[in-house]
Every structure is written in structure tokens, then in C-alpha cells.
Amino acid sequence: MYNEKMHSFIREIWSVGNELGLTNADIHKVFTSVIDKEEDKDQQLCCSRSKRQKISCQRKAFVSLWQMTVIILTVVKVCAIASALGIFCFAAIYLHSPSQKFVMRNIQDMIYPFMTSLRYISLPILKRYPYLSQWYSEECLIKNGFFDQSNIDCRPCEKEVTPVYAVGLSFFSETYYNSGKLLVISDAMHKNVTANSILDGIDINEEIDLGTLKCYSKSKEVSIESQVRRLLSVVNDVHIEWKINRLETLHLIRKLFPRVYVIPLETEVSLHRYLFVDGPMSGPYSLPLTEFANVVLIQGEGKSLITMFPSNHCKTICQPVDVYLDPSQVLFFNWIYWRPLRHGGNHTSTLLMSSFY
């Protein structure tokens, strides 16, 4: 229908041209010039429309860039102000002794409830994403090698220190808690914990795969892929060092080494444990620093001689002390004052180290 109208319209124009005495060539030129003008108009219209769109896009991009710049500058400004306030507050607290004591005295009571609440909040997340427990189990992702404690009062170990052997202790918090005294508790464990009893309840191969269990020997080459039971029976100087940081393993260890009854109920016990298994002829080795300064060493099987060396802050005024541990005895100390070195006791030995706040 549209084409028929167009053909009829063109025929009418052509007949009018003939009546006016125009040749076919002249009429054709008229049609060509009209069509060219229309095409030029359409092209100009498209160009103007594209220019307007380009200008609009540039304007939007400029506005977005300006808004992002304002947001970034605002964040930087807020961070700079917060950092300046933080540095000022830290300097004021650090340099002003009364303020430092006031803050430390009031913040200590908030740490444990806060961390306990945070742990309860994180449990559903760990159940939903169990692989995150590997990060959850680490006490520190990046350690500060320059950290040091200042203003250590070494008077508790200044005089000759003699380990106190006790049973049925009921005044631990008042006398020994956060102190430089050495305490040996003889009634905290109801039975000996042997290396075999530990190996019976735990998948050692899984611990080896995770890299938390390490074996050492000076007399012969040992491999952590070897059977641990066989190593203990064949290699006399074998030393097994086992950092327990998996919650599944920790639940099993807690059944063998229950919480020592002198540890205050209101304090926090570290999730991390160290378990040391030694042959009768194993060499001496230093025990690592724990998460918290109050430490308990539980002698599960065998005997140990522990030499307590004063820490770097106290070594000029305090003297080393030897402590003998029999099966099921527990040694309490604070590593602010003491750093332990374990000697062999001519017996196969299991030694668990834990800490509390």
C-alpha cells in the first residue's frame, strides 16, 4: 500500500515536470538533489544526537569521578584524624604512668568476656565453613619479633627460690597466680598418661599431614612418616614435639589431661597445647613460649628434670632453679620470670604444656 502511494506521488511530480517543459534529465536531477538534501539532514541529525549523547556520557563520567574522589578524600581524612587521635592517646597513656595503670586495670576485665562472646558468635560460621577453622586455630597470624615487655619487677625471684610441693591447694589465686613462684602440684592428675594411651585415641597420620607433629633424633635418621610407636620403642633419644592447635584433637587431649583444679574458673585457658614425647636418652631442649604467661607443665608418664632459667629481664638478679617432676605431677610457673629447659629423665616421658590468662 505504501509503495503504491509512493509510485503514484512520483508519477504526479513527473507529469507536472513534463507540463512545465522539463526534460527527463532535469526532473531526475531535481529528485537527486532533494534526496541528497534529506540525507544530509538525517546525517546532521544523527551527528548532533551522537554529540549530545557523548557529552552526556562525559558529564556522567565526570560526576561519578568527582563523587569517588570526594569519598576517597573523606575516608583518607577520617583515617588520618583517627590515626592522629590514636597516636595521641597511645602516647598519653604510655608516657603518663597513672593513665597507663588506669587503662590496664580496667581493660583486663573486658578482654575475656569480649573474646568469649566473639568465640560463641564465630561458632556458627565455623560450622557453615569448616575450612576456616585452620585460621581460627592460630593464635597469631603475624608475629611481632620486636615485642618486648618493659618495667618487669623481678623481686619475686630475686631471693633464692625453692619449688613448693603441694596437695589439696585452695589458696592458689591469692599466693601463686601471676607470681614468680614455682609450684609443683601432686594431686592434679588421677592417673598416668602414657604415650600409647595418647596414640590410641588420635589419628597421628592426620596430625603429620597437617605438619603439627615433628620427630627428632641425633643418633639416627627418623622420619615423621614412620610409625610413632615403633620410634618410641627403637630410638632411645627420639624427641617428638607436637603443637596441638586443632579443635578436634584438643577435645581428645582434654579427656586425657583435664583442667588443673587450681586454675581459676573465671580465667581463660589457651586453646593451644604443646605435647612432648621423649625417649629415655633424649637430649635437653628449651620449651617454647605459650600464648599466656601462666603456664602448667603436666608430667603424664616418666620423669623430667626442668631447669628454670630467669628471663632476660631478670637474669642479672635471679638464679636458675632445678625442678624434678614425677609421673602425674604438675609444675606451675610464669614465663615473665622463668624460661624452662627440659632434661632427660632416663624414662620414656610425656609432657603436656598449657597456659592460662
Side-chain angles (χ1 to χ4, degrees), residues 187-198:
D187 60 345
M189 298 287 292
H190 300 295
K191 62 179 181 179
N192 297 351
V193 181
T194 65
N196 288 329
S197 64
I198 296 172

Side-chain angles (χ1 to χ4, degrees), residues 2 25 34 36 45 88 91 100 112 116 132 137 155 176 180 196 200 204 252 258 289 308 316 348:
Y2 175 77
V34 170
D36 290 341
L45 184 62
F88 175 77
Q100 183 179 9
Y112 178 64
T116 302
L132 293 176
S137 299
R155 285 178 297 178
Y176 299 100
N196 288 329
D200 287 339
I204 293 297
L252 299 173
L289 289 180
M308 308 299 295
T316 57
T348 299

Side-chain angles (χ1 to χ4, degrees), residues 237-301:
D237 68 339
V238 66
H239 167 62
I240 298 175
E241 185 173 317
W242 184 1
K243 181 181 179 181
I244 301 169
N245 57 5
R246 297 178 64 244
L247 295 177
E248 298 85 350
T249 308
L250 180 60
H251 292 321
L252 299 173
I253 289 295
R254 281 173 176 169
K255 296 177 181 178
L256 299 172
F257 295 92
R259 181 183 179 123
V260 180
Y261 70 88
V262 299
I263 298 177
L265 296 177
E266 64 273 10
T267 191
E268 179 182 3
V269 179
S270 172
L271 291 174
H272 303 86
R273 308 285 194 277
Y274 286 92
L275 182 64
F276 306 97
V277 182
D278 296 281
M281 304 301 293
S282 64
Y285 56 89
S286 298
L287 300 180
L289 289 180
T290 53
E291 184 177 1
F292 299 130
N294 293 296
V295 184
V296 289
L297 280 177
I298 305 175
Q299 187 72 48
E301 175 189 11

Side-chain angles (χ1 to χ4, degrees), residues 154 157 309-320 336-338:
C154 296
C157 66
F309 289 98
S311 63
N312 290 333
H313 295 283
C314 303
K315 63 183 179 181
T316 57
I317 63 174
C318 302
Q319 300 298 320
I336 292 178
Y337 306 96
W338 304 104

Side-chain angles (χ1 to χ4, degrees), residues 85-101:
L85 289 175
I87 294 172
F88 175 77
C89 293
F90 175 79
I93 294 172
Y94 184 80
L95 298 176
H96 190 244
S97 182
S99 299
Q100 183 179 9
K101 292 179 180 179

Side-chain angles (χ1 to χ4, degrees), residues 161 163 165 182 184 283-288 297 299 303-311 318-325 331-335 337-345 351 353:
V161 177
Y165 289 79
L182 299 175
V184 178
Y285 56 89
S286 298
L287 300 180
L297 280 177
Q299 187 72 48
K303 298 181 180 181
S304 294
L305 168 61
I306 310 293
T307 300
M308 308 299 295
F309 289 98
S311 63
C318 302
Q319 300 298 320
V321 180
D322 288 336
V323 181
Y324 294 90
L325 288 181
L331 169 63
F332 164 78
F333 67 93
N334 190 298
W335 58 245
Y337 306 96
W338 304 104
R339 303 298 165 86
L341 177 73
R342 194 263 176 188
H343 301 273
L351 190 66
M353 184 166 65

